[in-house]
Amino acid sequence: MTFSPDLIHQLARELDAAERSRVQLEHFSKRFAGMTIEDGYAVSRAWVALKMQAGRRAIGHKIGLTSRAMQQSSQIDEPDYGTLLDDMLFEPGDIPASRFIAPRVEVELAFILKRPLQGAQVTPDEVLAATDYVQPAIEIIDARIEQFDRHTRAPRKVFDTISDNAANAGLILAGRQVDPREVDLPWVGAILRQNGVVEETGLAAGVQGHPAVGVAWLAMKLAPWGESLQAGEIVLAGSFTRPVAARAGDRFDADYGPLGRFEFRFT
């Protein structure tokens, strides 16, 4: 880690202010050329700690950058992760667009755990055994750190995305709650319509071949921090479609076939 504790807390406060003001920050990686992935996670954790001090409650985790194409574009060889908080959880229906800066919608599966997952060696089979049920989910991602540099138009780097809580901002859970062994998870598909037009389709196999792979990875990734996945937590396993930009007034229809269909609208 290259960042001092004071700098970590300063950047966490900047993220908190950006979320409240809806004014994006310039890239941390541009301001601090020696920034590391570890620095990014330290900033993200400090920001989440600020939110919890203000009364928020952690309800789980999200996994991002799960597709090979996204990893290559970010110049990394593994996913990233962030923390889900209680005020990020929405019901299908009206979603307040004013809560976000530049929201985008992703199609995912959520794992809801019935027992802890921890340690340096966790397998996908252990994930399935520890899962109470799997449910269709929409993740709403956002950018407190601007996606493209305001001067050069250079894209932000993975350090910036990680600092920004892996771009997490909201989630919707709906549809059937199914035993993870009841369905062939890699073959779960979804159709995402925006204002009546099919924008994205995909299979859950796009998440590293099987969505449980990412959940196992996350449990192992948390172990060096002395942390684990806990019973009752929600884990968003990663998007199997590209993110779709949303604006106030946009209507979305997420169709997961046998697992259900639901609608939501940014108002």
Side-chain angles (χ1 to χ4, degrees):
M1 186 183 300
T2 61
F3 286 1
S4 69
D6 285 347
L7 179 56
I8 289 166
H9 289 289
Q10 173 196 318
L11 297 181
R13 289 192 296 270
E14 289 184 20
L15 283 165
D16 197 50
E19 183 176 61
R20 286 185 278 104
S21 69
R22 306 292 184 263
V23 177
Q24 292 175 316
L25 302 169
E26 291 195 69
H27 297 171
F28 291 168
S29 61
K30 176 182 174 182
R31 292 165 57 187
F32 308 100
M35 187 178 186
T36 66
I37 286 178
E38 189 178 16
D39 291 327
Y41 281 120
V43 171
S44 176
R45 286 167 179 273
W47 180 32
V48 169
L50 282 178
K51 295 176 80 67
M52 293 178 72
Q53 289 167 15
R56 299 275 58 85
R57 177 174 58 86
I59 59 172
H61 309 266
K62 62 93 32 123
I63 307 168
L65 301 178
T66 50
S67 74
R68 187 62 184 148
M70 288 299 292
Q71 290 177 15
Q72 289 175 332
S73 68
S74 300
Q75 299 181 331
I76 61 171
D77 59 4
E78 65 177 16
D80 67 358
Y81 65 89
T83 301
L84 304 175
L85 299 171
D86 57 347
D87 66 339
M88 297 176 177
L89 183 60
F90 296 95
E91 296 289 333
D94 289 347
I95 308 296
S98 60
R99 274 281 302 271
F100 310 100
I101 303 172
R104 294 183 291 164
V105 170
E106 295 185 331
V107 170
E108 313 209 2
L109 290 176
F111 287 67
I112 289 74
L113 302 180
K114 61 184 177 183
R115 59 174 178 261
L117 282 167
Q118 57 190 350
Q121 296 296 325
V122 177
T123 68
D125 279 343
E126 289 172 326
V127 170
L128 298 180
T131 298
D132 188 13
Y133 60 87
V134 172
Q135 186 173 18
I138 290 292
E139 183 182 4
I140 303 169
I141 60 174
D142 203 2
R144 277 72 51 163
I145 298 174
E146 56 195 12
Q147 190 173 3
F148 297 97
D149 181 84
R150 65 191 68 175
H151 305 293
T152 67
R153 304 306 297 164
R156 64 182 180 178
K157 296 182 178 178
V158 68
F159 318 114
D160 304 303
T161 306
I162 289 172
S163 297
D164 198 9
N165 197 28
N168 178 252
L171 69 150
I172 304 167
L173 301 182
R176 287 181 57 210
Q177 300 175 356
V178 296
D179 186 296
R181 299 186 189 276
E182 178 186 328
V183 294
D184 191 355
L185 289 176
W187 287 97
V188 171
I191 303 167
L192 182 67
R193 295 179 177 88
Q194 181 181 29
N195 300 322
V197 177
V198 174
E199 286 291 342
E200 279 296 313
T201 63
L203 290 174
V207 183
Q208 298 178 287
H210 193 297
V213 170
V215 182
W217 170 86
L218 177 58
M220 293 185 285
K221 199 71 178 176
L222 292 173
W225 296 87
E227 300 174 4
S228 60
L229 302 179
Q230 295 297 309
E233 287 188 334
I234 302 164
V235 182
L236 295 181
S239 178
F240 47 96
T241 64
R242 70 172 177 86
V244 177
R247 296 177 180 172
D250 282 347
R251 294 177 293 104
F252 286 90
D253 177 325
D255 187 347
Y256 290 77
L259 295 193
R261 176 177 179 175
F262 56 95
E263 297 181 359
F264 55 100
R265 181 167 64 101
F266 284 84
T267 58

